[in-house]
Amino acid sequence: RVLAADEQQRAKEAALAAVPGTVTDVDASDDQTSSGTAAYEVDVVAEDGTEWNVRLDRDFAVLGTSRDN
């Protein structure tokens, strides 16, 4: 589904609080994690150049982060 501008902004802010850097993508998600169902997935390039995937629930709480290889 297409995210509203306010959803994208809130997801970006939550992801950057977990992994400081630059957001490269924000998507809706329905992936299951050990912490629950992710509503959003945000790709972040950290300040050190590593790439991260941040999964958020529908309230924009961080469910988890994983480093992309």
Side-chain angles (χ1 to χ4, degrees), residues 12-48:
K12 285 179 184 181
E13 290 171 2
L16 290 174
V19 180
T22 303
V23 171
T24 58
D25 194 28
V26 179
D27 292 310
S29 177
D30 59 1
D31 289 349
Q32 294 291 323
T33 72
S34 59
S35 303
T37 301
Y40 307 97
E41 286 190 21
V42 183
D43 295 332
V44 178
V45 176
E47 293 169 351
D48 66 1

Side-chain angles (χ1 to χ4, degrees), residues 2 5 7-8 16 18-19 23 25 28 35-36 39-40 42 44 46 49-52 54 56 58 64-65:
V2 176
E7 283 181 294
Q8 287 187 16
L16 290 174
V19 180
V23 171
D25 194 28
S35 303
Y40 307 97
V42 183
V44 178
T50 58
E51 296 180 15
W52 292 84
V54 181
L56 308 170
R58 70 185 55 170
T65 61

